[in-house]
Amino acid sequence: MARKETSENPGRLKQIALTYKMTKKVDSKVGLVVAAVGIVTFGVLLAIGFLIDHPFYLGILGFLLAFLAMAIVFGRRAERAAFGQMEGQPGAAAAVLENIGRGWSTTPAVAMNRSQDVVHRAVGKAGIVLVGEGNPNRVKTLLAAEKKRMARIVADTPVHDVVVGDGEGQVPLKKLRTTLLKLPRVLPGAQVTVVNDRLRALGDLMSNMPIPKGPMPKGMRMPKGR
């Protein structure tokens, strides 16, 4: 067990170091901000400790709270930097949906057109959520077509649609996960499974594409979208 824990620690430290390097490329002040938060938190608790004549106990508490505050601030700034790098990249919404949490099942690229506007699908206790990426006008057409296609087998399930973007009526990428989690839960777990099975039977863009196994042949083009 000790050997296993020893082997895992270097991996975690390496991951933290890698995250810090990636974050620093976007947020050059991340190190100074995190350090300042830790120093201020520890300093405030230690000062209170001297005032009440318990510097030792408040010093230990200050150290623990400083570490916690630094971790929270670093996590938020790293997340913000990651979203900043992903924003505008094809498939960014799918990456967010894949990490939305337990209770959700995500199917990337259930619909796509020749302009590479794409619709992803997430299913959870809130029902079905269709998430579109790309030109808002073209995405709305894709969303309407996908809703019509699904209506044949899941007509009794709530369907929400979201367009990712910074325009009016759109949801910024960084708020996509929060938006889905705020949706009211109306389906029991068993019904979510049933809906997922029905949608899998319906198929999606990737499973319906006649792509051969192995590497994609050179010069092969994506089939025309609907």
Side-chain angles (χ1 to χ4, degrees), residues 30-74:
V30 61
L32 292 174
V33 172
V34 172
V37 168
I39 292 171
V40 170
T41 303
F42 177 74
V44 169
L45 269 294
L46 187 61
I48 294 174
F50 278 109
L51 286 174
I52 63 175
D53 201 24
H54 287 289
F56 180 76
Y57 297 111
L58 269 295
I60 294 176
L61 179 61
F63 176 80
L64 296 175
L65 290 179
F67 183 80
L68 178 61
M70 290 170 67
I72 292 173
V73 171
F74 175 67

Side-chain angles (χ1 to χ4, degrees), residues 7 11 50 58 74 106 143 171 197 203 210:
S7 63
F50 278 109
L58 269 295
F74 175 67
T106 300
L143 289 169
V171 176
D197 290 342

Side-chain angles (χ1 to χ4, degrees), residues 39-121:
I39 292 171
V40 170
T41 303
F42 177 74
V44 169
L45 269 294
L46 187 61
I48 294 174
F50 278 109
L51 286 174
I52 63 175
D53 201 24
H54 287 289
F56 180 76
Y57 297 111
L58 269 295
I60 294 176
L61 179 61
F63 176 80
L64 296 175
L65 290 179
F67 183 80
L68 178 61
M70 290 170 67
I72 292 173
V73 171
F74 175 67
R76 289 181 177 177
R77 294 184 82 96
E79 184 180 39
R80 191 185 308 164
F83 280 126
Q85 289 181 315
M86 286 182 356
E87 207 153 8
Q89 299 295 323
V96 175
L97 293 174
E98 291 283 0
N99 293 282
I100 192 173
R102 294 179 58 185
W104 287 88
S105 174
T106 300
T107 306
V110 293
M112 183 184 293
N113 58 24
R114 285 175 288 182
S115 301
Q116 295 190 358
D117 304 304
V118 63
V119 172
H120 312 293
R121 183 178 68 225

